[in-house]
Amino acid sequence: MRRIAIIALAAAAVSAQARTWNLDECVDYAIEHNTEVMNQALTAYQSELGVTEAKDAFLPELSGYASQSFNFGRGLTADNTYANRNTSSFSVGAQLSLPLFQGLRAIRQLRYSRQSLTASLERTEAAKDNVTLSVLSGYLQALYAREILDVATLNLGISRSELERRQQLLEAGKIPELDIFEARAQVSQDELSVVNARNDSTLAMLDLRQLLNLPVDADFDITPVPDTPMPLISADDVFANALARNHTIQAGRLESEAARSYVSVAKSGYIPRLSFNAGIGTNYYKTSGFDNGSFSSQMRHNFAKSLGFSLSVPIFDGFSTRNSVRRANAQAAVADLRLDEARNNLYKSINQAYTQAIAAYKKQEAADVSVASSRAALEAMQVKYDNGRANATEYEKARSTYTSALTQAVQAKYEAILRSRIIDFYNK
C-alpha cells in the first residue's frame, strides 16, 4: 500500500512538472524573466532617481565645520617685532546656502528628468512588446515543427503500409520485385525525414525554452493555438492605431521631447544665479605668554552670525555653455531621426505582415484544395496500381504530391496565424 502511495505521489509530481503551457502563460513567464526587460526596468529606476535628484536641487545646503590649528616659533607681535610665540586656535560653526535663482536650470532639469522617466517606462513596455512578438514567433515555430513531424510520421506510416501491401502483391505474383526495392528505399528515406523533422521539433522547443529562460532539461510542453482565421484590418488603419498606442513610438516621441528640453537645460548656463548664504560660528584663541580668556568665555563672547547674498553673472566660461548647447542640439537631432526611423520600421513591419497575411490566407485556401485533390488522386492511383494499370513510379509521384500538399498546408496555416496575430498585436 505504501509503495502504491509513493508511486502515485511520484506520478503527480511528474505530471505537475510536465504540465503544458499556453501562449499567454509563455508570454507572461518570458516577460517576467527576460533580462532585457529587467535591464530596462533598472534603467527606468535610474531615471526615477534622476527625478528625485532634480527635486532635491531646490533644497538648501547646510554644513557644519570645526577646525583646530597650532603655530610654533617666531611670529609678528602687536609691537611690530618678532618674538617666540606658541599659538593655538579652535573654531566651530555652521553654514547655510539657499539657491534663490539658478538661471532656471533646476526647473528645466526637473522637467527633463520627468520626461526621461516617462520615456524609460515606455521603453520598458516596448521591451515587453518585443519579448511578446519573439515568444509568439517561437511558439508558433514550435507548433509548426511539431505538425511537420506529424506529417513526416504519417508519410512514414503510409510508406510502411505500402511496403507490406506490395509484399503481398509480390507473393501473389502481381508486381515485379523491383517495386519492393523501391518501396524499401522510400521507407528508408521517410525514416530519415522523420529523424530530421524530430530534430527540428526538438530545436524549436529548445529555442522557445531559451526565450523563456527555462532550463534546457526542463520538462516543458505547449498547447496548440486556435487556427480560426482572424479578421484583417487594413494596414493604414493598423498603422494609425499603432502610432497612438505603440510603446516604441511613444518612447521615441518622449525621448525627442526630452532631448529638446535638455537644450533648455544647457542654455541655463547663460543666465545669472542668485543665492542666499548664512552662517554662525565661534572660536577660541590662545597665545603663550599672555593672559587668555577661558575656553568657555571665549566661545561665548566670540559667537558671530553672518547673512549675505551672492550673485554670479556668467561672462566668459571658455565656451563651455556654448559647446553644451551644441551637443544638446545634436542629441535632439539624433532623437528626431530615431523617432522617424521607428515610424518607418513600424510602417514597414505592419505592411509586410499585412501583405504576408493576405498571401498566407490565399495560400492556405489553395493548399486545402491541393490536399483534397492530391488525396483523391493518390487513392485513385492506388486503385490503378493494384489493378496493374500504373507502375510504382507513378504511384510514388502521386504520394509525393500528396505529402508536399500536406506540408504546404501546414506552412500556410501557421504563416496565416503568425501574420494575423502580428497585425492584431499592432492594432491593440
Side-chain angles (χ1 to χ4, degrees):
M1 190 68 180
R2 180 181 178 184
R3 182 180 179 183
I4 295 176
I6 293 176
I7 293 176
L9 290 174
V14 172
S15 177
Q17 294 177 355
R19 73 176 182 87
T20 56
W21 296 32
N22 59 35
L23 178 57
D24 292 336
E25 290 174 333
C26 288
V27 169
D28 293 340
Y29 186 90
I31 289 176
E32 184 178 355
H33 297 83
N34 183 264
T35 54
E36 180 63 27
V37 175
M38 294 179 184
N39 289 334
Q40 194 57 53
L42 290 175
T43 301
Y45 174 69
Q46 292 175 349
S47 298
E48 185 177 353
L49 294 179
V51 173
T52 302
E53 184 178 1
K55 291 179 180 179
D56 293 341
F58 293 94
L59 300 176
E61 294 183 3
L62 178 63
S63 61
Y65 66 89
S67 65
Q68 173 70 57
S69 63
F70 300 92
N71 295 316
F72 305 95
R74 297 177 64 82
L76 188 65
T77 66
D79 299 331
N80 200 25
T81 60
Y82 283 90
N84 290 326
R85 293 286 188 268
N86 295 332
T87 61
S88 65
S89 64
F90 171 79
S91 61
V92 63
Q95 293 178 337
L96 173 70
S97 177
L98 175 64
L100 299 178
F101 181 74
Q102 298 174 312
L104 302 177
R105 186 179 188 87
I107 297 175
R108 293 172 177 177
Q109 182 67 39
L110 178 59
R111 180 171 61 248
Y112 165 75
S113 299
R114 285 173 172 169
Q115 290 173 334
S116 297
L117 173 59
T118 307
S120 295
L121 294 176
E122 288 292 336
R123 281 294 176 192
T124 303
E125 295 301 320
K128 294 179 181 180
D129 289 346
N130 293 335
V131 172
T132 300
L133 290 175
S134 297
V135 172
L136 173 62
S137 178
Y139 192 97
L140 294 178
Q141 180 64 32
L143 291 178
Y144 164 73
R146 181 174 297 180
E147 287 207 23
I148 291 297
L149 175 59
D150 293 339
V151 171
T153 304
L154 173 64
N155 194 32
L156 176 60
I158 295 175
S159 298
R160 287 174 174 172
S161 298
E162 179 63 20
L163 176 60
E164 294 177 0
R165 193 174 63 84
R166 290 188 186 184
Q167 187 69 39
Q168 295 174 357
L169 293 175
L170 177 64
E171 294 174 357
K174 294 183 177 181
I175 61 172
E177 189 176 3
L178 177 62
D179 290 1
I180 294 294
F181 295 148
E182 291 182 355
R184 289 174 180 172
Q186 187 62 46
V187 169
S188 299
Q189 183 178 352
D190 291 341
E191 287 176 346
L192 178 60
S193 298
V194 169
V195 172
N196 292 333
R198 183 174 289 110
N199 290 337
D200 292 340
S201 179
T202 301
L203 291 175
M205 289 296 293
L206 177 60
D207 292 339
L208 183 58
R209 283 191 182 94
Q210 292 175 344
L211 284 174
L212 270 60
N213 276 339
L214 283 174
V216 177
D217 57 349
D219 200 351
F220 169 72
D221 199 6
I222 57 177
T223 60
V225 297
D227 56 355
T228 305
M230 301 180 66
L232 287 180
I233 306 174
S234 69
D236 291 337
D237 291 340
V238 174
F239 180 67
N241 293 333
L243 283 179
R245 303 171 185 174
N246 185 264
H247 294 294
T248 300
I249 298 299
Q250 294 299 324
R253 185 179 295 115
L254 289 168
E255 287 171 349
S256 178
E257 294 175 359
R260 286 192 293 271
S261 295
Y262 193 75
V263 174
S264 299
V265 174
K267 289 181 178 179
S268 300
Y270 292 121
I271 305 175
R273 301 179 183 182
L274 178 65
S275 61
F276 169 74
N277 303 299
I280 57 174
T282 185
N283 62 80
Y284 168 77
Y285 190 82
K286 179 181 179 181
T287 304
S288 62
F290 289 88
D291 184 16
N292 301 281
S294 65
F295 178 83
S296 60
S297 63
Q298 284 198 43
M299 293 292 287
R300 185 170 58 254
H301 291 105
N302 293 340
F303 187 80
K305 305 174 185 177
S306 64
L307 298 174
F309 295 89
S310 61
L311 177 66
S312 175
V313 180
I315 298 176
F316 180 74
D317 59 357
F319 301 112
S320 176
T321 300
R322 185 198 66 176
N323 294 333
S324 296
V325 172
R326 289 179 176 178
R327 282 194 298 268
N329 282 321
Q331 292 174 357
V334 170
D336 291 338
L337 290 176
R338 288 177 178 173
L339 177 58
D340 291 339
E341 183 181 8
R343 287 171 178 164
N344 293 335
N345 290 337
L346 179 63
Y347 182 79
K348 178 181 177 180
S349 298
I350 291 175
N351 278 271
Q352 184 177 10
Y354 180 81
T355 303
Q356 291 173 338
I358 295 295
Y361 279 134
K362 293 180 179 179
K363 183 178 179 181
Q364 189 176 13
E365 293 176 357
D368 292 339
V369 174
S370 177
V371 169
S373 59
S374 60
R375 183 190 296 114
L378 177 60
E379 293 173 352
M381 182 60 67
Q382 187 170 2
V383 173
K384 293 176 63 177
Y385 179 76
D386 292 343
N387 294 325
R389 291 181 296 170
N391 56 36
T393 302
E394 292 173 330
Y395 174 82
E396 291 301 336
K397 181 179 180 180
R399 192 176 67 85
S400 176
T401 301
Y402 173 63
T403 303
S404 176
L406 287 176
T407 302
Q408 292 177 0
V410 173
Q411 292 175 342
K413 168 187 172 182
Y414 282 99
E415 182 72 16
I417 293 175
L418 175 61
R419 301 307 170 186
S420 61
R421 284 181 175 265
I422 290 177
I423 290 293
D424 182 67
F425 176 82
Y426 282 125
N427 189 56
K428 291 182 178 179

